[in-house]
């Protein structure tokens, strides 16, 4: 790839919300090497991207994704015997190949729509690790992946058996956690509570499934190896256990009391002394704004979903009020959460949190990079940063809708082809019904 210059582009400084026209120079290795207001006369050796009238932002980081699904309702079998058959088929060479190719397509869609880095938090058969390595080697085009491999859950717990491994004791958790690390996981994902999609009783979505001692032992072991831990937790008790165990990020969250608020901010057992909250509104908000008929779910799932949404919302608002670190991720692959709609999660956070566009754009870029611990190379536009950039026709400080139609995505200095792009019309229609209602 030749060295590139993006000229005359309106550079947005997300720290100060100021805009200046600049020329961005990108090295052959895809790193930003100079930001200047002066353009040299001789640009012969540069590939030139015209930035005039366009705005430039750092690429977005999606902190909570799954790549196995499309956003259509999941159709995996629930009867144990059929689950066994399905899992067996998936675990063949052909099964894994099909799964990987679907994940690859979904990751590429995320990239085409502005997500240049994403964290997976629960995939089957370690295929997220395979895909991460393919992308890193340059064999496949996609966002930079930070991966967890399969989740670690209790017996019959959240996400089992397809995207989570079952555990019945502390030693199980330690052994399976170590296996994830040895196979190359960047994070460990645990499930402290049940989830909406697989709950079998009203209120079960937030029921505690993992013991404090189990989570604590696993955090300790992972942290000793420099690996951080993310925890699915959808009830007050679940979040409390996760925080006490020392997890580094709480996924979804719930209403908190004072003890929990303090633990988020000062968590001695976490790796960096604090824990972050990733609320994930995209799969939850339809329960509050669409009918059971629209969603096509059972009464049980509908009622569980509504309760979880209220808890996530309360936890998020408390976190903002108490200056807890909050990241943004949309739980892509869950029902109604496609791989091309990450901008919606920013809009939800902005509206539900009473935040400015500047606030949420910072959270989805430099803030998320800090939570991942990759802020030295990712999340801002500065010399030495990877050239993961978005060119926009509208000013995103004025409207987040600017992210809906990104003019050009640049990954490591290379423009991303936007032509092949599959939309799910039924889902788009339902989501448009909610627009402006949140
Ligand atoms: Zn998830």
């Amino acid at each position: 790839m030749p060295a590139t210059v993006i000229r005359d582009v309106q550079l947005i400084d997300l720290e100060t919300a100021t805009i200046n026209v600049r020329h961005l120079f990108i090295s052959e290795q895809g790193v930003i090497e100079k930001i200047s207001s002066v353009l040299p006369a001789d640009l012969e050796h540069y590939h030139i991207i015209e930035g005039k009238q366009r705005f430039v932002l750092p690429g977005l980081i999606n902190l909570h994704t799954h790549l196995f699904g499309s956003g259509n309702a999941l159709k995996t079998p629930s009867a144990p015997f059929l689950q066994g058959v399905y899992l067996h088929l998936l675990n063949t060479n052909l099964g894994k190949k099909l799964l990987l190719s679907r994940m690859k397509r979904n990751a590429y869609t995320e990239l085409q729509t502005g997500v240049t880095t994403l964290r997976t938090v629960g995939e089957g058969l370690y295929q997220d690790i395979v895909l991460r390595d393919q992308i890193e080697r340059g064999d496949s085009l996609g966002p930079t992946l930070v991966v967890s491999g399969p989740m670690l859950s209790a017996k019959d717990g959240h996400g089992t058996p397809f995207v989570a491994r079952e555990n019945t004791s502390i030693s199980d958790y330690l052994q399976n956690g170590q296996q994830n690390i040895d196979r190359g996981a960047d994070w460990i994902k645990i499930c402290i509570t049940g989830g909406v999609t697989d709950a079998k009783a009203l209120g079960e979505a937030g029921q505690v499934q993992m013991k404090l001692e189990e989570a604590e032992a696993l955090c300790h072991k992972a942290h000793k190896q420099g690996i951080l831990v993310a925890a699915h937790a959808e009830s007050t008790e679940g979040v409390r256990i996760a925080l006490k165990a020392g997890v580094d990020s709480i996924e979804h969250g719930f209403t908190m009391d004072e003890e929990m608020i303090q633990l988020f901010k000062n968590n001695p057992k976490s790796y960096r002394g604090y824990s972050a909250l990733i609320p994930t509104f995209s799969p939850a908000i339809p329960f509050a704004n669409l009918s059971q008929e629209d969603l096509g779910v059972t009464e049980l799932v509908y009622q569980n979903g509504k309760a979880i949404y209220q808890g996530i919302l309360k936890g998020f608002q408390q976190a903002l009020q108490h200056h807890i670190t909050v990241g943004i991720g949309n739980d892509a692959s869950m029902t109604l959460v496609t791989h091309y709609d990450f901008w919606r999660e920013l809009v939800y956070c902005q509206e539900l949190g009473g935040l400015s566009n500047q606030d949420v754009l910072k959270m989805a870029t430099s803030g998320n990079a800090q939570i991942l611990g990759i802020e030295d190379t990712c999340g801002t536009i500065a010399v030495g940063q990877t050239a993961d950039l978005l060119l926009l026709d509208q000013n995103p400080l004025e409207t987040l809708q600017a992210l809906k139609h990104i003019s050009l995505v640049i990954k490591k200095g290379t423009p991303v082809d936007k032509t092949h792009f599959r939309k799910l019309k039924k889902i788009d229609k339902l989501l448009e019904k909610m627009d402006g209602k949140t």
Side-chain angles (χ1 to χ4, degrees):
M1 189 195 66
T4 300
V5 58
I6 306 174
R7 68 177 190 193
D8 294 311
V9 73
Q10 305 193 63
L11 177 63
I12 300 171
D13 182 340
L14 287 175
E15 288 303 316
T16 57
T18 50
I19 298 175
N20 292 293
V21 174
R22 290 287 182 269
H23 315 291
L24 300 188
F25 294 82
I26 300 165
S27 72
E28 289 168 18
Q29 289 73 36
V31 175
I32 299 172
E33 58 179 11
K34 193 166 77 169
I35 300 172
S36 173
S37 54
V38 186
L39 202 60
D42 179 17
L43 288 173
E44 202 185 317
H45 302 295
Y46 285 100
H47 169 65
I48 295 174
I49 295 174
E50 191 54 67
K52 213 168 197 149
Q53 309 295 333
R54 288 159 142 186
F55 299 85
V56 65
L57 272 186
L60 303 175
I61 300 172
N62 190 347
L63 267 195
H64 186 125
T65 68
H66 307 271
L67 294 172
F68 57 79
S70 62
N72 284 322
L74 298 173
K75 284 197 191 85
T76 44
S78 57
F81 170 72
L82 290 177
Q83 281 188 343
V85 172
Y86 188 83
L87 201 58
H88 184 75
L89 290 173
L90 211 56
N91 206 2
T92 58
N93 279 340
L94 179 64
K96 280 194 271 201
K97 214 172 151 182
L98 289 172
L99 177 62
L100 181 63
S101 87
R102 187 197 303 174
M103 289 169 64
K104 203 183 281 192
R105 187 177 66 225
N106 291 338
Y108 189 62
T109 302
E110 294 268 352
L111 179 64
Q112 287 176 302
T113 49
V115 175
T116 51
T117 299
L118 63 80
R119 182 179 64 159
T120 63
V121 283
E123 303 287 351
L125 304 168
Y126 296 96
Q127 294 306 298
D128 52 343
I129 296 179
V130 173
L131 182 57
R132 176 201 63 191
D133 293 346
Q134 282 190 0
I135 292 171
E136 252 169 41
R137 283 196 306 267
D139 294 344
S140 179
L141 193 56
T144 301
L145 300 192
V146 177
V147 299
S148 76
M151 313 193 282
L152 302 177
S153 296
K155 186 164 180 354
D156 294 324
H158 183 49
T160 61
F162 300 112
V163 296
R165 301 185 65 182
E166 294 193 329
N167 301 271
T168 52
S169 64
I170 291 183
S171 64
D172 267 3
Y173 278 108
L174 292 180
Q175 204 181 332
N176 287 326
Q178 190 59 47
Q179 208 176 97
N180 281 6
I181 295 171
D182 292 344
R183 291 189 72 153
D186 301 302
W187 279 65
I188 292 289
K189 168 80 180 295
I190 58 177
C191 295
I192 301 283
T193 71
V196 175
T197 39
D198 49 16
K200 291 175 190 74
L202 195 61
E204 201 196 70
Q207 206 175 64
V208 173
Q209 295 182 340
M210 185 175 182
K211 296 191 185 92
L212 173 60
E213 307 82 72
E214 294 166 337
E216 201 172 18
L218 193 53
C219 284
H220 184 67
K221 189 170 176 127
H223 290 163
K224 272 206 304 205
Q225 299 169 74
I227 300 285
L228 276 67
V229 180
H232 166 102
E234 295 188 327
S235 66
T236 298
E237 273 324 293
V239 176
R240 192 195 311 281
I241 289 171
L243 289 169
K244 281 190 168 166
V247 307
D248 304 287
S249 77
I250 298 279
E251 310 300 311
H252 318 302
F254 216 80
T255 315
M256 300 183 271
D257 61 24
E258 191 54 34
E259 180 197 26
M260 296 156 74
I261 289 167
Q262 292 313 321
L263 262 179
F264 257 108
K265 293 163 71 155
N266 179 11
N267 191 341
K269 285 192 187 148
S270 69
Y271 189 66
R272 295 176 294 201
Y274 71 93
S275 306
L277 176 70
I278 324 299
T280 69
F281 287 110
S282 296
I285 209 166
F287 289 104
N289 293 287
L290 295 175
S291 68
Q292 189 186 338
E293 223 178 4
D294 277 340
L295 293 173
V297 294
T298 61
E299 175 70 14
L300 177 69
V301 169
Y302 192 58
Q303 293 307 334
N304 272 332
K306 271 183 179 300
I308 294 296
Y309 169 68
Q310 290 305 332
I312 291 178
L313 177 58
K314 182 73 183 162
F316 171 62
Q317 289 171 340
Q318 287 178 304
L320 292 177
Q321 198 186 338
H322 293 279
H323 308 287
I324 286 168
T325 303
V326 178
I328 302 188
N330 71 346
D331 219 348
S333 288
M334 294 302 106
T335 306
L336 299 186
V337 193
T338 71
H339 292 281
Y340 53 83
D341 263 344
F342 185 48
W343 65 275
R344 285 187 182 278
E345 186 71 24
L346 276 70
V347 171
Y348 299 148
C349 287
Q350 189 262 323
E351 288 176 354
L352 299 168
L355 297 169
S356 67
N357 291 359
Q358 180 192 3
D359 290 335
V360 286
L361 289 168
K362 254 166 70 177
M363 284 162 76
T365 54
S366 57
N368 277 356
Q370 264 161 19
I371 291 170
L372 289 178
I374 56 172
E375 68 275 19
D376 289 346
T377 55
C378 180
T380 51
I381 301 178
V383 172
Q385 287 265 309
T386 304
D388 290 349
L389 304 165
L390 312 181
L391 293 188
L392 310 169
D393 293 329
Q394 281 177 292
N395 181 355
L397 294 173
E398 282 167 15
T399 171
L400 291 175
Q401 299 289 330
L403 296 170
K404 195 175 168 183
H405 304 288
I406 294 170
S407 167
L408 184 67
V409 177
I410 295 169
K411 179 65 192 165
K412 279 192 190 159
T414 304
V416 174
D417 172 23
K418 274 211 318 179
T419 46
H420 305 290
F421 191 102
R422 201 176 59 169
K423 287 206 144 205
L424 301 171
K425 287 204 181 78
K426 236 171 123 183
I427 292 180
D428 291 346
K429 244 193 177 148
L430 277 175
L431 296 181
E432 277 155 23
K433 242 178 159 175
M434 293 197 316
D435 284 347
K437 270 212 258 172
T438 56

